[in-house]
Amino acid sequence: MHHYQPSRPLNHLQAMLGGLAIVLCLHAAHAQAPAPAPAAPAPAAAPAQISRDAQRAYETTRDKLVQIRTLLRNSNTQASVGSGFFVSADGLIITNFHVASQLALEPERYRGVYVPVDGKEAEVELLAFDVRNDLALLRVKAPATGMPQLAFRDAAKPLGRGERIYSLGNPLDIGFAVTEGTYNGLVQRSFYPRIFFGGALNPGMSGGPALDDSGQVVGVNVSKRLDGELLSFLIPAQFAQALLAKAASAKPITKPAHAEVARQLGEHQDLLTKKFTAAPLTPQKHGGYSVPVPDDALARCWGRGREPDFKAFELERTDCQIDSHVFAGDFNTGYIRLRYEAYNAPKLGPLRFSAMYSQSFANEYFATRGSRKATPAECSERFVETGGMPMRAVVCMSAYRKLPGLYDVSVLTMSVNQSTRGVQGRMDAQGVSFENGLKLVAHYLGGFKWEAAP
């Protein structure tokens, strides 16, 4: 099973919704770059194509743009790189949380430095972070007076669709760059606001600024899609401004901040649970069965019907996911995924159908072995009555080891009221409290119903 991973180093890519969408974060893990191939000679008559606006954006911003490097303390080797930008005259820097997460969670092993365009490396310290919006605030340890800074665009002046945006950063650790694109509004169904940037972003640009025509910050680079062209995403500037206003005078973080990460994730999962349980689940019909599907405004759902590989029975599938993931340090969490399979096999007969149907249920995976992230799943199985039909249900929970009070919760269920047809469903909720996990399970199971077949 694949999970949505927006905020991972370059060598950690995963799929969303069973491989339908692949997203790459822009935080580049340190790796030796391949030797560049010899450049082909340019056509003799080809004129230089230069965007004067992009050139101006780079020239006026270059002294305010930095690369953020995370170094291992014992060997002083580079562990990861990202980008950032100055937002105050006394050396405050905005970047992504996933760029600075090692400084937050393992400060005894890692230290941070910034590198401006002139290449003069200097140390930084982490002041605060916003997990839900993937932001961090750093401060130069020994700032000079009157350091250059970028200004934020006035929130009272919203961008218009098609307006030009200029994104800056250090892609793949090969040098500072600017890319030009367009503002396309906010991403639909995103749990937190994200700007849809029609431009090219690359690993290593995480945390860099996106500017309007006047050179003011409108967003912060965060991720891009790999299954399309020029589909990139920015965190709206308002969230960076809020973090700056809240933590400009904060003391540096010098001890592992797992408790603060857990607190922020706790707020996230509480909001997610309230939204999910408050929104009515839409009934999706499969013969006489009705299965619960999230509201279209909350989740993306994909379906497949009448699988050609299965000649003896009909199989329809639905896969839904809420775009609510957050980066928790070395993994993503904080989302809900629902999957369904509807079977209709009158030609198989009851015994053959029961064997096939039960085997499909038994094939579902649960993390029965513990990991560095979480304890082994503990499961409970029982038969329940819901919506006029009996169902078999398995509920599993595993606790996060370093984020107290948070769990991964899964519920797997199957109808057992018909001899040659049935529905199976699964819901996975990542990073929720024990109480909210039970609320989500109850809300989900309550959405299954049996009605007389048409």
Side-chain angles (χ1 to χ4, degrees):
M1 184 170 62
H2 301 286
H3 296 302
Y4 185 40
Q5 296 275 4
S7 303
R8 300 293 297 179
L10 178 61
N11 58 338
H12 290 274
L13 306 179
Q14 289 198 349
M16 180 180 72
L17 299 182
L20 294 174
I22 302 176
V23 177
L24 172 70
C25 96
L26 308 173
H27 172 207
H30 177 63
Q32 184 175 355
Q49 299 297 320
I50 299 174
S51 168
R52 295 189 183 280
D53 291 333
Q55 187 179 37
R56 185 182 70 248
Y58 177 74
E59 289 300 326
T60 58
T61 307
R62 62 197 304 266
D63 60 338
K64 307 162 187 82
L65 184 67
V66 298
Q67 184 185 54
I68 303 299
R69 297 177 180 173
T70 301
L71 308 178
L72 282 164
R73 290 186 179 276
N74 60 352
S75 62
N76 211 37
T77 54
Q78 186 169 287
S80 64
V81 296
S83 298
F85 56 99
F86 285 112
V87 291
S88 76
D90 59 347
L92 293 177
I93 298 171
I94 288 287
T95 188
N96 288 144
F97 173 65
H98 72 255
V99 170
S101 62
Q102 291 165 311
L103 306 181
L105 301 178
E106 298 181 275
E108 72 284 357
R109 293 189 62 194
Y110 298 95
R111 66 183 184 91
V113 300
Y114 82 96
V115 184
V117 174
D118 63 13
K120 295 179 180 178
E121 180 182 296
E123 288 203 52
V124 293
E125 50 195 4
L126 176 64
L127 299 186
F129 52 84
D130 176 356
V131 171
R132 290 189 285 179
N133 289 296
D134 199 356
L135 292 169
L137 182 65
L138 308 175
R139 180 173 62 200
V140 178
K141 277 193 173 182
T145 58
M147 299 185 74
Q149 62 187 21
L150 283 173
F152 292 95
R153 181 179 174 118
D154 189 342
K157 298 179 180 179
L159 288 165
R161 287 181 182 269
E163 193 167 336
R164 303 303 292 174
I165 296 179
Y166 309 92
S167 175
L168 296 101
N170 193 321
L172 295 172
D173 196 20
I174 60 175
F176 291 97
V178 57
T179 62
E180 187 174 356
T182 54
Y183 172 79
N184 294 296
L186 298 179
V187 178
Q188 295 181 5
R189 302 185 191 89
S190 180
F191 196 74
Y192 296 115
R194 292 293 181 265
I195 292 172
F196 173 15
F197 171 51
L201 297 180
N202 288 288
M205 295 181 74
S206 275
L211 312 176
D212 62 13
D213 274 330
S214 63
Q216 294 182 316
V217 178
V218 298
V220 181
N221 304 333
V222 68
S223 63
K224 73 172 183 177
R225 287 273 289 265
L226 293 181
D227 60 338
E229 298 295 331
L230 302 181
L231 300 177
S232 303
F233 308 103
L234 313 171
I235 301 161
Q238 68 197 65
F239 298 107
Q241 289 176 281
L243 182 61
L244 175 62
K246 178 182 178 181
S249 301
K251 293 182 179 179
I253 295 172
T254 58
K255 295 182 179 180
H258 292 97
E260 176 60 16
V261 172
R263 185 191 70 78
Q264 294 187 26
L265 289 175
E267 293 178 348
H268 166 75
Q269 63 86 32
D270 197 50
L271 178 62
L272 176 62
T273 300
K274 288 177 180 177
K275 284 193 174 185
F276 184 79
T277 55
L281 292 168
T282 302
Q284 184 181 89
K285 304 293 185 179
H286 296 281
Y289 294 102
S290 176
V291 300
V293 175
D295 185 78
D296 184 65
L298 187 62
R300 285 182 175 86
C301 293
W302 301 88
R304 288 182 290 172
R306 301 189 180 278
E307 294 277 352
D309 293 337
F310 303 114
K311 305 296 184 182
F313 59 90
E314 296 178 2
L315 173 63
E316 296 179 344
R317 291 190 172 106
T318 301
D319 196 331
C320 303
Q321 184 161 304
I322 299 176
D323 185 10
S324 59
H325 53 275
V326 290
F327 182 73
D330 57 359
F331 62 93
N332 283 306
T333 186
Y335 62 87
I336 297 175
R337 182 183 182 187
L338 300 94
R339 294 184 287 124
Y340 301 100
E341 293 181 346
Y343 296 83
N344 184 20
K347 297 179 181 179
L348 283 183
L351 291 178
R352 290 179 63 196
F353 176 78
S354 177
M356 177 272 295
Y357 191 52
S358 298
Q359 184 60 46
S360 176
F361 189 81
N363 285 340
E364 289 291 325
Y365 170 77
F366 295 103
T368 54
R369 287 189 174 185
S371 66
R372 187 167 55 91
K373 165 193 165 186
T375 62
E378 295 187 13
C379 300
S380 175
E381 180 174 355
R382 66 182 62 183
F383 286 88
V384 297
E385 184 82 19
T386 178
M389 64 176 171
M391 299 192 76
R392 178 185 176 189
V394 177
V395 177
C396 298
M397 284 192 174
S398 59
Y400 287 8
R401 294 188 185 276
K402 294 185 178 181
L403 301 175
L406 296 179
Y407 300 79
D408 285 345
V409 179
S410 298
V411 54
L412 176 66
T413 188
M414 64 185 291
S415 64
V416 291
N417 66 325
Q418 296 290 298
S419 60
T420 58
R421 69 188 311 169
V423 292
Q424 296 183 10
R426 175 166 179 162
M427 181 187 72
D428 296 286
Q430 302 281 327
V432 298
S433 69
F434 187 86
E435 294 78 10
N436 282 338
L438 295 181
K439 289 179 183 178
L440 292 169
V441 169
H443 185 65
Y444 174 70
L445 290 177
F448 286 87
K449 291 181 174 58
W450 168 253
E451 303 167 354

